Amino acid sequence: MVLEVRKPRPLWEILFSTHHTDVGLLYIISSFVFLFMGGALAMTIRTELLTPGPTIISDPAFFNRVFTVHGTDLLFLWLLPFAAGMGNYLIPILVKYKDMAYPRLNAVAYWMIPPGAALIWLGWADIGWYGYPPYSTIRAPGPAADMWIFGLKILGLSSILGSINFVVTILKCKHPDMSIMKLPLFVWGILTTSIMTLAALPTFTAALIMLYTDRLGVSSFFNPAMGGDPIAYQHLFWFTFHPEVYIFFMPAIGMAYDLIPKFSRKPIFSYASGVIALILLSIIGFASWAHHMLATGMTFTEKTVFMIGTLAAVPMSAMHVFNWLATSWGGRIKFAAPMKWTFGGIALFFAAGAGGVVNTALPLDFITHDSYWVVGHFHLFVMGTISFIFLGFMYYLFPLITGRMYNERLSSIHFWLMFIGAIMVFVTQHVLGLFGMPRRIYDYVSDPDLIIMNQIATTGAYLQGIGMAVFLYNMINSAVRGKPAKMEDPFEIGEVYYDHRRREPH
Ligand code: HEM
Ligand SMILES: [Cu+2]
């Protein structure tokens, strides 16, 4: 199962395998391919916004296609498959079982991703990653928008099958000696995420079907011209996708709980509070969906309820951060790549959470809503926090997957380019929002303040692009030529690295 690269097997053996490490590897590699593809679109967007007026894209409608595919790709083809891949690779090892509960279902869930991705990439829809009506029902050109709808349906089904597999593997296949309160917090992170997926996704699944039949003209759920209500779509959409942001985040929380004690050489400060905060966060995630609609005309009472529901997530997130800091406090910290990325992610999480509280405060949201502030806020989370911890975890698992060590100095260059880049892009975007720059736009007025800030943001994005190129080189070069890892304890932190000698039929 380990040393995939040091003792290569024929490619078809991995492609047709149902073994959890092979399926995990396919998930992980695909997620990185999509990270780079989505990243290329991000560079396109930032280059277009480098100067006012047309810069590299001449057709404004095409700009909409670029940011639609960028968002859809990075959320559903980078974050979700990466977490599923790491879950596949590690969960059976951590719960001491030979494989996932349903290995073939596992492979099926993975193999739904390529067709889903193909529909999204070949379609080039222009409806935004949220597909809001009435545009998506009555104006958006087919077949692009229809391909987007079917692509998301397939990816959603894949997520549901994957989640069922995780829940059953963790709850039913764990070693009998392992009580549920002994499971590593990474396993808890995947478990709560999977249960949330099963609870959240059906609503959007229904919404997508309604959207499609509206497009066919056989229904009018969301078409105001025929008595439908576009706001109803927003409720259904955010009832799935507000929880979804925690579905993205909780695997990263689990990873941080795995990495921080190891690289601080101290036990977790409070395991039980970590479990409780994960469970409560997954419940509270459902109580705040309409904070995305605070500016769309709800009654004052409704808005207040959702403001409070949103703020309830703050102490639960703070509990995790407190646990992480208390765990590392006074430890003998080793700042190898995994720890550096995790700490960088936590630092940006503070900034992102502070911006989120501003969005949640009713009067302030009227200023920030639909402005670049929101773009800065959620990118600090999805890119700054979640992706940072994911990348740190990738460095951590690199020896297990390849049997070799990555280059620490290159990982450091990667980290600093990304960290400084993230601050330059996403913090500046907050300020751009306060200066009145709306989101989802192709052009902006030629005002000196707006120009300079957009240029700072674009420069930061380029730094991130260079950082990711360094990362790609490091991964490929080290997998082929890196020095062999000491498999017992590759990071020299006095911890037994995973059960790497395990061997089961592939
Ligand atoms: C788990 C971490 C979080 C993630 C991944 C996340 C992600 C997002 C995303 C993707 C959006 C924009 C969606 C869109 O319209 O396209 C958003 C908006 C928003 N977030 Fe967060 N968020 C997180 C935490 C928080 C926290 C802690 C708060 C409040 C305390 C918060 C409050 C808000 C609000 C109010 C909006 C809507 C802003 C508006 O459109 O006016 N978020 N978030
Ligand atoms: Cu939300």
Side-chain angles (χ1 to χ4, degrees):
M1 57 156 280
V2 276
L3 313 188
E4 309 278 3
V5 185
R6 265 165 85 191
K7 282 191 211 125
R9 285 175 291 137
L11 190 61
W12 58 265
E13 232 181 79
I14 299 177
L15 288 181
F16 294 109
S17 169
T18 60
H19 189 255
H20 71 98
T21 59
D22 290 333
V23 178
L25 196 64
L26 291 174
Y27 266 114
I28 294 168
I29 293 174
S30 318
S31 70
F32 276 106
V33 170
F34 292 122
L35 172 62
F36 281 94
M37 290 167 68
L41 297 184
M43 296 298 144
T44 311
I45 296 171
R46 282 310 329 162
T47 307
E48 175 51 45
L49 296 176
L50 184 66
T51 56
T55 307
I56 54 166
I57 297 177
S58 52
D59 174 14
F62 185 72
F63 183 81
N64 297 349
R65 299 184 187 276
V66 173
F67 77 67
T68 298
V69 178
H70 159 79
T72 312
D73 172 275
L74 285 168
L75 294 172
F76 307 125
L77 297 170
W78 151 241
L79 293 180
L80 289 184
F82 182 84
M86 287 302 174
N88 259 294
Y89 217 98
L90 290 179
I91 296 283
I93 299 178
L94 294 174
V95 303
K96 299 188 174 37
Y97 188 66
K98 58 184 172 12
D99 204 334
M100 294 291 286
Y102 310 114
R104 260 179 285 182
L105 184 71
N106 200 26
V108 169
Y110 169 76
W111 283 106
M112 294 176 80
I113 291 182
L119 282 169
I120 285 158
W121 274 89
L122 299 176
W124 279 101
D126 62 350
I127 54 182
W129 76 274
Y130 33 79
Y132 277 181
Y135 181 71
S136 61
T137 48
I138 53 183
R139 292 292 298 280
D146 308 304
M147 288 167 80
W148 181 86
I149 290 173
F150 277 91
L152 279 196
K153 279 223 101 62
I154 294 175
L155 294 177
L157 202 50
S158 155
S159 261
I160 286 181
L161 298 181
S163 299
I164 292 172
N165 218 340
F166 279 130
V167 173
V168 177
T169 310
I170 295 169
L171 294 181
K172 292 285 166 204
C173 304
K174 68 178 165 53
H175 195 279
D177 290 348
M178 197 175 220
S179 80
I180 192 150
M181 287 307 273
K182 286 261 159 29
L183 293 174
L185 277 162
F186 174 72
V187 179
W188 269 105
I190 298 285
L191 177 65
T192 45
T193 300
S194 304
I195 294 172
M196 274 188 96
T197 304
L198 296 177
L201 272 191
T203 311
F204 184 57
T205 309
L208 275 180
I209 295 174
M210 292 154 87
L211 198 63
Y212 189 63
T213 55
D214 270 13
R215 285 179 62 77
L216 291 176
V218 296
S219 64
S220 55
F221 296 107
F222 308 130
N223 182 352
M226 293 164 73
D229 179 8
I231 299 291
Y233 176 88
Q234 296 192 15
H235 278 293
L236 298 176
F237 180 88
W238 287 111
F239 186 78
T240 294
F241 284 106
H242 181 74
E244 189 83 8
V245 302
Y246 291 91
I247 292 172
F248 299 139
F249 187 39
M250 288 193 320
I253 296 180
M255 291 172 192
Y257 273 116
D258 203 19
L259 296 176
I260 292 176
K262 287 178 175 149
F263 286 83
S264 312
R265 295 176 253 209
K266 267 183 69 192
I268 290 181
F269 170 74
S270 164
Y271 172 91
S273 73
V275 173
I276 291 167
L278 276 172
I279 294 174
L280 288 180
L281 206 52
S282 56
I283 297 169
I284 293 169
F286 285 94
S288 47
W289 80 87
H291 68 206
H292 294 272
M293 301 154 66
L294 292 178
T296 56
M298 285 184 281
T299 66
F300 184 71
T301 314
E302 286 165 338
K303 283 190 283 208
T304 310
V305 167
F306 282 105
M307 176 166 94
I308 294 169
T310 309
L311 291 174
V314 177
M316 292 308 116
S317 312
M319 188 119 109
H320 291 302
V321 176
F322 182 75
N323 278 340
W324 295 331
L325 297 185
T327 302
S328 56
W329 200 264
R332 282 192 305 123
I333 298 180
K334 174 151 188 181
F335 274 111
M339 189 65 161
K340 223 183 279 168
W341 284 95
T342 306
F343 267 45
I346 295 172
L348 296 175
F349 183 49
F350 271 100
V357 174
V358 172
N359 294 337
T360 312
L362 286 178
L364 299 182
D365 185 54
F366 280 86
I367 300 167
T368 59
H369 181 71
D370 270 349
S371 78
Y372 251 83
W373 177 284
V374 173
V375 181
H377 158 72
F378 73 78
H379 280 89
L380 269 185
F381 266 117
V382 293
M383 186 68 219
T385 309
I386 304 175
S387 301
F388 265 49
I389 297 175
F390 280 6
L391 286 168
F393 207 68
M394 183 62 221
Y395 280 114
Y396 184 59
L397 236 62
F398 188 80
L400 183 66
I401 296 175
T402 63
R404 294 180 192 272
M405 213 48 200
Y406 61 84
N407 181 317
E408 189 71 52
R409 185 204 288 260
L410 287 181
S411 79
S412 201
I413 297 174
H414 177 205
F415 173 79
W416 286 109
L417 285 170
M418 294 289 285
F419 189 71
I420 295 167
I423 291 172
M424 283 172 71
V425 192
F426 307 133
V427 173
T428 312
Q429 286 179 334
H430 282 78
V431 186
L432 270 172
L434 296 183
F435 272 70
M437 177 144 155
R439 61 191 288 205
R440 313 168 178 131
I441 50 145
Y442 156 79
D443 196 8
Y444 50 92
V445 285
S446 187
D447 166 83
D449 291 326
L450 292 189
I451 294 177
I452 185 76
M453 283 192 281
N454 271 298
Q455 289 175 347
I456 294 172
T458 302
T459 312
Y462 291 161
L463 291 185
Q464 297 202 316
I466 299 169
M468 289 310 292
V470 173
F471 169 74
L472 186 65
Y473 170 79
N474 192 3
M475 291 290 109
I476 294 175
N477 190 52
S478 306
V480 182
R481 275 197 289 275
K483 63 174 190 313
K486 296 190 267 314
M487 292 308 291
E488 291 304 315
D489 181 14
F491 294 89
E492 291 164 341
I493 45 180
E495 272 274 338
V496 182
Y497 199 51
Y498 301 106
D499 188 2
H500 65 277
R501 253 192 287 267
R502 243 166 56 119
R503 239 171 244 294
E504 293 87 25
H506 278 88

